[in-house]
Amino acid sequence: MSCPRSLRLAALSLSNILLPIAVLVFATGFFPYKPFLPGLARFEDVGELRGGKEELGEKGGGPRVGAGGARRGQEEAVFDRVVFMVVDALRSDFVYGEGSGFGFTQSLIRSGAAIPFTAHATPPTVTMPRVKALTTGSVPSFLDLILNFAESDTSSSLSAQDTWLAQILAANGSIVFYGDDTWLKLFPPSPEGQPFFKRSDGTSSFFVSDFTEVDNNVTRHVPDELARSDWNAMVLHYLGLDHIGHKTGPQGPNMLPKQREMDGIIKMIYEAMEGYEHHETTLLVLAGDHGMNAGGNHGGSGPGETEPALLFASPVFKAMEKRQYECPTLPKEGTEFHYYSKVEQSDLVPALAAMMGMPVSKNSLGVLLPELTGLWKGERRVQLLLQNAKQLLHIVRAKYGGERFDRDAESHAKAMEEGDGGCRGPEGDEEKLIHGWGEVLYWLAQERGLENDQLLEEALYRFLKLAQETMSDTASSYDIPRMVTGMAVAGAALVFAVISSPSLWPPGIAGMSFTLICLLYGVMMFASSYVEEEQHFWYWLTPVWVSILIAKSLRNRSDMTSAWRTAAAGAILLCSHRLAVRWNQTGQKHAGEPDIVHAIFPEHHMLMWLLILLTYIMNGYFIHTRTFAGLLIPELTAFADVSLIVLATVFKLNFTQADAPELVQGLALKLREWSEPFSLVVQARAAFATMAVTGAGVVVLAIRQARGKSGQKAKAAQTSIALTERLSHLLTLFLMTQTRAPNVPLFLALETQKSALGWLLSTQSSSSKEKATKPRTSAVEAATSVLLLSHTYYFCMGGSNSISSIDLSNAYNGVADYNIAAVGLLLFSSNWAGPIWWCSAAVLLCTQRPAIASRKETAGAEKDRDWVMVEREKLQEDAKAIAKQANEQPASEDPHAGAWFVYVASMTAFVATSLLAVMAACTALRTHLFIWTVFSPKYLYALAWSLGWHLVVNVGFGSLLYQLCSIA
Amino acid sequence: MSTPTSNGKAPLSTPPSKPVDILQTQPSLLYSNLHPILLLSILLFSFKTLVRDPVNTLLGLAPTVTILQALYCVLCLPSTNQAPAPPQKPGQKKKQAKPAQDAWAKAVPAFLSLLLTLFLSTPILYITLILFGAPLTTHQPHTILLALHFALLTTPQLYYAHGLEAQAWYKIVSLQLPVDELVGMSLGACMGAWVGAIPIPLDWDREWQKWPVTIVAGMYGGAVVGKFVGGYVCRGWRIKLS
Ligand SMILES: [Zn+2]
Ligand SMILES: [Zn+2]
């Protein structure tokens, strides 16, 4: 079962080309297309909606909404000013629950001056999509999440979209803004240089350790602005509460004081509303953009993440007829965060539009809140609902095609007129909507009167709710043929990957294990709890695979000493694994439970810094002895080494002081004072630049050295180190810079595990020559080990399949202004540091060579030295020799040349299987309750693994490293 | 995983060993078939209490399992020659051994096997369980008792049949012994315990998903299945690891 090599190469290339195609094709079918209406809404739009409408309206006694709507809208506005106060991650129970710090706000609710809601935030629950939802009223999808990271400043902006802010500007109003600078990115100045906000001051949420400055920066503007009357909307976005959540969780010690501080600001604003004459008709809106889970994070749709508070306050409400609200109160039975009425976040937009006399923004999917309709008398109320319904109807028609929809709705109305009763249980979304709108038309045409108005209102609400539900429900807009095509392409990629594998039969233990892992992983993708707790899968498989390697390695050992070494290597692998697994608690079920990083390090920060220092010293030692070995004079080597390590360590220290000061606690004050004049951006750039220069220098020098010595190959093979090995230690340093401080000691575990794995994977042959030419490492074994360990380290460094676990803190190292390519690279390398590291380790493992008898003796002679070091040295010598051999011999005859090929083929097979499984799970479970909470985030992660880790890192970067091996 | 071997530079390659044969007497054949049934039934009968109170149930079951395993060794297995045998007088001849002496010659190695199981296998398997992901900071009595049961299921028969010799244990650990009842039972218990961990993270919210119920169940089931497979289906096979 072996095709010619060129054919296999073609199959593997084809497979890797098909992977991104499969991902993209499936994504276009899976992430729903939403009709988007350009331009600003005007009252005229809803007036001239349909030709037949005026007639219907006249029959009912004069046009209800017509060209005169704009004037009347503004005349009948309840409020002319709005203070829109966003408190980031303001979960509903923070405001409404027992033990809340919002005492004054709760008294407002009791007195009837405030109307409370729990607003449902659709995932992804991160700030930018939520701000989009709160301003446009649309429902941003997961595609927006990718765009959130990928957007350049112009394309992400909402300046081209219809928002309630744009409506205020269109009515010649003006807006001031203070708070999270996400808003400034979303609402940039116009192309003519006209700023969107009349006055503004943005704060960045760069370091979540900042609890006070971010908020003081906002609050200091508030009294001045309240005293002025030249604005129509003031937007405030407070970040402190979200930061406290991220740092210490919802129960943290700073949470209650922060809530009291926010309550104080509401009190200040409310008192100004009572005190200042120009604030007589000012509305205060308090909204959370999203909530937070028990760990204080957000992004997905875990409990609490999707339930922010939403509250309208004004003295005007006291006079409105409405129900009484108790406060503080308990959430609805059986729920944790469901207080009062649960509404959609998008409902804010029509509510604001109605209260301020503006047209409803074009793409809003909101429904006018019934709790607020007490502000208007019967006729006006119907008009507002009709305005809302016609605005939503625009979106419905854009989706289903206008002409036909109108015709069918009218015929349904006619049928009702003729007493048909009309409905024989409409089927499908479109038919339901047609019937809903037909009913509205029917009641519009009826005689006006109290009873009919009541029935019309009911029909309108039915239609509104139905339209909101249908248009936000993405299930209706899956493009199944495209999804199936995507799966078919992924299946083809899998087939080609399998074809490209050189030796399929008979399957060895490694091949069977690898296949079993692929199959089990595929099955696992269909169980939502296993997708959430994927780490268990890898934590569970790795020790068993290590045990198999131990047993196998024991068989190959001919003497007691090496048998004991095998046992020691196995013990090292297993112990490091067990320790790493407890480093960060991840997953959903036990999120926030104690682990080493969160339970031990905050109390023993000295221990953590000792480990970190040890890690840097180890890396410095390797750079000194391996990376620079034989390239430079010792003085220069020492200088370069020290500057590399010092720059990286100082940056790590200063960054941690800014990012997590509780882990530094006044440590190394002198050092920090000394480096004070240099900003973090400068420090990071200095560290990265030193690494880059060193890397380039090492490449040049090593190649030159290799050329110079090409005559005496044998000698070179013994004394020098493969370029790949040299560079791998620089890569380690880069990845350490991109890793959060508490995770840095894991690189110690990584290094020891790599050495131990090198021993277990190596086959010790007695002395015979034919064995010496066999590859020292079975590439499939290496691939299996690297696959398991890559995933293990991804999860034990805190990664998971939930959006909320993405670590943004290191994504801006050395980046001053938003640069999509740099931020993307840094973000990926900080979240996938472990898997990237293992890719370079895989190259080193794949270039190992069998130990021959003479080597064994050297190893015996150096018995007192650490065997790991001996092993390591052998490993590098071999790597070079092998690579050289690979270059010199014709490919077909060389057994080593195939090692990396087999590794890539195996990884391609796994990635194709996992993609296929995730796609199939997403397709089969598309109506599942968890599709947007578990399966679509998993798809995004599968996308990152396959495109980022597999294609870029393994196929691209890894192959490059492998090629370098043969150069020098 | 560590090998209880003596240190030294002894060569490790030895001629291949043969599968262990069950004694062909009436009582041993009978008990050999009864043994798995007994093991399974004590688990089934105590499953409810195991879910309710794992620690006390495991503790209560341990003596029963010990006796079952001891009987299995004594009745069904040939004792190893290298086993730490009872002190025999040099002049005594085997031929003349009376039934009482014969029983004595079997009971002592069995007793020693159980002692080793308790004081050597249990700590080693406890560490192994921890390394494989058993909770370290909580549930300690659970895990210790789990290790005890694990040791009782996997090792007494191996000690009894193969003794304490380094060669034999090197072969056991590197899976080089030919498959027989004993190897099948031990490996089956290991695999069963491993597979038993699968249901724990599922969101079924069942009481029996708690530590270490599924592992115990998997272990016993695996041991019984392994014994059958090793003794009948795959007897004499050699495990390939390449
Ligand atoms: Zn936010
Ligand atoms: Zn946040």
Side-chain angles (χ1 to χ4, degrees), chain A residues 88-89 126-127 237 242 289-290 298:
Chain A
D88 212 292
V126 288
T127 303
H237 191 134
D242 173 66
D289 56 344
H290 46 75
H298 54 87

Side-chain angles (χ1 to χ4, degrees), chain A residues 123-381:
Chain A
T125 47
V126 288
T127 303
M128 190 187 275
R130 292 301 93 217
V131 170
K132 279 188 178 178
L134 283 171
T135 53
T136 63
S138 61
V139 182
S141 72
F142 269 90
L143 217 51
D144 288 69
L145 184 77
I146 309 174
L147 296 175
N148 199 4
F149 297 118
E151 272 162 342
S152 68
D153 278 359
T154 47
S155 69
S156 72
S157 86
L158 291 175
S159 54
Q161 292 193 34
D162 192 0
T163 58
W164 55 263
L165 294 99
Q167 290 292 348
I168 289 177
L169 290 189
N172 291 322
S174 54
I175 309 170
V176 294
F177 170 77
Y178 301 99
D180 184 3
D181 58 5
T182 306
W183 288 74
L184 298 181
K185 275 185 207 153
L186 287 172
F187 299 98
S190 68
E192 297 88 49
Q194 186 76 24
F196 191 91
F197 299 110
K198 193 182 179 95
R199 288 180 293 277
S200 67
D201 184 8
T203 48
S204 90
S205 58
F206 208 79
F207 291 115
V208 288
S209 57
D210 181 1
F211 295 169
T212 46
E213 275 307 299
V214 272
D215 288 352
N216 289 344
N217 225 6
V218 180
T219 309
R220 67 193 164 98
H221 297 286
V222 174
D224 288 352
E225 288 295 350
L226 286 174
R228 307 171 83 135
S229 60
D230 62 344
W231 50 263
N232 299 78
M234 172 160 75
V235 178
L236 309 169
H237 191 134
Y238 284 97
L239 286 166
L241 192 123
D242 173 66
H243 289 184
I244 292 172
H246 284 295
K247 279 261 94 137
T248 63
Q251 309 299 334
N254 300 82
M255 193 51 100
L256 209 57
K258 180 54 81 180
Q259 290 176 7
R260 295 210 183 94
E261 181 192 333
M262 293 294 114
D263 192 48
I265 292 153
I266 290 167
K267 189 173 182 189
M268 172 165 67
I269 296 169
Y270 189 79
E271 281 169 357
M273 284 158 68
E274 287 179 322
Y276 288 109
E277 207 167 297
H278 62 264
H279 283 318
E280 226 160 52
T281 50
T282 295
L283 170 70
L284 168 65
V285 182
L286 171 71
D289 56 344
H290 46 75
M292 61 173 72
N293 57 23
N297 295 318
H298 54 87
S301 52
E305 288 173 61
T306 56
E307 280 121 338
L310 174 67
L311 176 132
F312 299 87
S314 162
V316 174
F317 289 123
K318 282 186 185 170
M320 187 180 86
E321 78 180 71
K322 61 177 178 301
R323 58 176 263 220
Q324 277 293 312
Y325 294 102
E326 254 178 66
C327 202
T329 180
L330 293 171
K332 210 170 171 183
E333 234 170 275
T335 68
E336 264 181 289
F337 306 104
H338 182 165
Y339 292 86
Y340 309 111
S341 313
K342 190 157 183 185
V343 300
E344 291 296 321
Q345 263 185 334
S346 52
D347 293 345
L348 171 84
V349 172
L352 266 183
M355 288 191 282
M356 299 189 69
M358 305 182 296
V360 184
S361 299
K362 268 194 169 169
N363 290 295
S364 156
L365 295 176
V367 174
L368 187 57
L369 297 165
E371 283 82 354
L372 295 174
T373 47
L375 285 168
W376 301 280
K377 292 278 170 307
E379 171 64 14
R380 176 68 185 146
R381 188 149 74 193

Side-chain angles (χ1 to χ4, degrees), chain A residues 721-752:
Chain A
I721 299 157
L723 185 53
T724 313
E725 153 80 358
R726 293 180 191 273
L727 292 179
S728 75
H729 299 297
L730 287 174
L731 177 74
T732 307
L733 187 61
F734 170 73
L735 291 175
M736 275 157 68
T737 314
Q738 284 306 102
T739 303
R740 276 184 303 126
N743 284 345
V744 168
L746 282 175
F747 282 88
L748 284 173
L750 282 168
E751 288 287 351
T752 41

Side-chain angles (χ1 to χ4, degrees), chain A residues 519-777:
Chain A
L519 289 178
L520 283 177
Y521 189 82
V523 172
M524 187 179 77
M525 285 302 109
F526 289 84
S528 62
S529 39
Y530 258 118
V531 174
E532 283 180 336
E533 310 288 322
E534 193 189 316
Q535 73 278 8
H536 289 303
F537 179 74
W538 304 105
Y539 294 173
W540 173 73
L541 282 171
T542 307
V544 170
W545 172 247
V546 172
S547 308
I548 293 175
L549 284 183
I550 295 171
K552 184 168 186 285
S553 176
L554 274 179
R555 288 185 179 188
N556 294 322
R557 305 299 165 188
S558 49
D559 61 289
M560 218 53 176
T561 324
S562 50
W564 275 108
R565 269 192 199 171
T566 297
I572 285 174
L573 267 169
L574 287 173
C575 290
S576 315
H577 172 78
R578 187 66 177 82
L579 198 66
V581 158
R582 289 307 304 146
W583 212 258
N584 283 286
Q585 178 70 45
T586 182
Q588 300 285 310
K589 205 171 173 184
H590 302 286
E593 282 186 9
D595 52 34
I596 293 173
V597 167
H598 298 96
I600 296 181
F601 283 168
E603 282 167 32
H604 305 276
H605 69 291
M606 282 300 282
L607 173 75
M608 183 190 86
W609 282 104
L610 276 177
L611 286 172
I612 292 174
L613 217 56
L614 190 66
T615 317
Y616 274 104
I617 289 170
M618 171 204 72
N619 185 247
Y621 173 76
F622 283 146
I623 289 178
H624 189 89
T625 54
R626 316 296 312 170
T627 302
F628 287 125
L631 291 184
L632 288 172
I633 52 166
E635 290 81 5
L636 216 53
T637 304
F639 172 74
D641 189 23
V642 167
S643 45
L644 273 171
I645 298 301
V646 166
L647 281 172
T649 318
V650 168
F651 170 70
K652 183 62 59 191
L653 182 71
N654 282 315
F655 181 84
T656 310
Q657 167 65 28
D659 183 50
E662 75 278 5
L663 291 174
V664 180
Q665 294 183 9
L667 210 71
L669 197 65
K670 275 268 151 55
L671 192 65
R672 281 188 283 127
E673 271 170 9
W674 167 77
S675 55
E676 185 111 60
F678 309 100
S679 74
L680 279 172
V681 171
V682 173
Q683 292 180 32
R685 283 182 178 172
F688 288 154
T690 325
M691 288 174 214
V693 169
T694 313
V698 166
V699 169
V700 171
L701 287 173
I703 290 178
R704 203 202 261 164
Q705 193 191 47
R707 295 260 161 86
K709 280 187 179 174
S710 57
Q712 18 177 315
K713 229 184 318 162
K715 206 187 162 200
Q718 269 179 14
T719 53
S720 71
I721 299 157
L723 185 53
T724 313
E725 153 80 358
R726 293 180 191 273
L727 292 179
S728 75
H729 299 297
L730 287 174
L731 177 74
T732 307
L733 187 61
F734 170 73
L735 291 175
M736 275 157 68
T737 314
Q738 284 306 102
T739 303
R740 276 184 303 126
N743 284 345
V744 168
L746 282 175
F747 282 88
L748 284 173
L750 282 168
E751 288 287 351
T752 41
Q753 284 200 330
K754 182 177 76 177
S755 304
L757 195 64
W759 173 263
L760 285 190
L761 289 180
S762 66
T763 49
Q764 196 186 37
S765 56
S766 17
S767 66
S768 53
K769 249 197 170 173
E770 36 98 18
K771 274 190 181 173
T773 54
K774 269 190 176 177
R776 169 154 156 168
T777 309

Side-chain angles (χ1 to χ4, degrees), chain A residues 683-924:
Chain A
Q683 292 180 32
R685 283 182 178 172
F688 288 154
T690 325
M691 288 174 214
V693 169
T694 313
V698 166
V699 169
V700 171
L701 287 173
I703 290 178
R704 203 202 261 164
Q705 193 191 47
R707 295 260 161 86
K709 280 187 179 174
S710 57
Q712 18 177 315
K713 229 184 318 162
K715 206 187 162 200
Q718 269 179 14
T719 53
S720 71
I721 299 157
L723 185 53
T724 313
E725 153 80 358
R726 293 180 191 273
L727 292 179
S728 75
H729 299 297
L730 287 174
L731 177 74
T732 307
L733 187 61
F734 170 73
L735 291 175
M736 275 157 68
T737 314
Q738 284 306 102
T739 303
R740 276 184 303 126
N743 284 345
V744 168
L746 282 175
F747 282 88
L748 284 173
L750 282 168
E751 288 287 351
T752 41
Q753 284 200 330
K754 182 177 76 177
S755 304
L757 195 64
W759 173 263
L760 285 190
L761 289 180
S762 66
T763 49
Q764 196 186 37
S765 56
S766 17
S767 66
S768 53
K769 249 197 170 173
E770 36 98 18
K771 274 190 181 173
T773 54
K774 269 190 176 177
R776 169 154 156 168
T777 309
S778 145
V780 185
E781 274 176 27
T784 312
S785 314
V786 169
L787 179 72
L788 290 171
L789 289 165
S790 293
H791 283 87
T792 300
Y793 275 89
Y794 172 77
F795 286 103
C796 75
M797 284 184 167
S800 81
N801 283 330
S802 152
I803 304 290
S804 55
S805 72
I806 296 177
D807 180 17
L808 285 166
S809 58
N810 279 301
Y812 297 89
N813 288 346
V815 181
D817 44 350
Y818 193 80
N819 175 339
I820 166 72
V823 171
L825 176 77
L826 293 172
L827 180 72
F828 185 79
S829 60
S830 74
N831 283 278
W832 269 264
I836 295 173
W837 191 92
W838 275 111
C839 171
S840 93
V843 179
L844 297 177
L845 289 171
C846 278
T847 47
Q848 281 196 89
R849 197 187 204 196
I852 25 186
S854 62
R855 288 270 164 67
K856 212 173 76 197
E857 280 153 33
T858 16
E862 292 168 312
K863 209 162 124 196
D864 47 334
R865 287 182 59 187
D866 183 7
W867 64 267
V868 171
M869 279 307 299
V870 177
E871 187 52 32
R872 163 179 294 281
E873 270 161 31
K874 267 195 284 175
L875 200 148
Q876 277 94 46
E877 289 162 22
D878 301 339
K880 251 202 97 170
I882 287 175
K884 278 215 151 75
Q885 210 177 354
N887 242 21
E888 283 149 17
Q889 290 180 359
S892 54
E893 286 172 28
D894 177 45
H896 309 296
W900 185 251
F901 184 89
V902 173
Y903 171 85
V904 172
S906 309
M907 287 304 181
T908 309
F910 172 78
V911 166
T913 316
S914 69
L915 266 182
L916 186 60
V918 175
M919 287 172 178
C922 286
T923 311

